[in-house]
Amino acid sequence: MIMHYTIILDAQADGGYTARCVELSEALGKGSTQGEALASIRESIELVHDARCEVLHKTMGAVNSEIIRIEVADAA
């Protein structure tokens, strides 16, 4: 499954870039170039995603749960 994320890329006053993910506030990337910052945020998103999946699997194993996926339209 391909996931899409919105990234805010900020140039830093002292040089370099910071990348923030709108959908996953825990994910943060930094680099001396835009490309490095984007590569860093990709890695961070993968780590956050893996951690969330692990928590989900543990939760589902502990209780009688079911997963339901919903779609929400963009209001903008």
Side-chain angles (χ1 to χ4, degrees):
M1 173 183 1
I2 296 177
M3 303 289 287
H4 297 272
Y5 296 99
T6 307
I7 305 301
I8 299 171
L9 191 61
D10 296 312
Q12 299 301 301
D14 58 347
Y17 294 86
T18 300
R20 296 178 285 137
C21 180
V22 172
E23 294 83 4
L24 300 173
S25 60
E26 317 87 307
L28 181 68
K30 294 183 179 186
S32 57
T33 66
Q34 288 180 349
E36 287 178 6
L38 291 173
S40 177
I41 192 80
R42 283 180 195 272
E43 184 176 320
S44 183
I45 288 170
E46 289 174 3
L47 292 171
V48 169
H49 182 263
D50 290 348
R52 285 184 173 188
C53 283
E54 184 176 329
V55 168
L56 176 63
H57 287 291
K58 285 181 182 177
T59 301
M60 293 211 42
V63 295
N64 185 13
S65 303
E66 84 182 83
I67 296 175
I68 300 170
R69 183 170 292 205
I70 65 170
E71 185 173 316
V72 179
D74 186 2

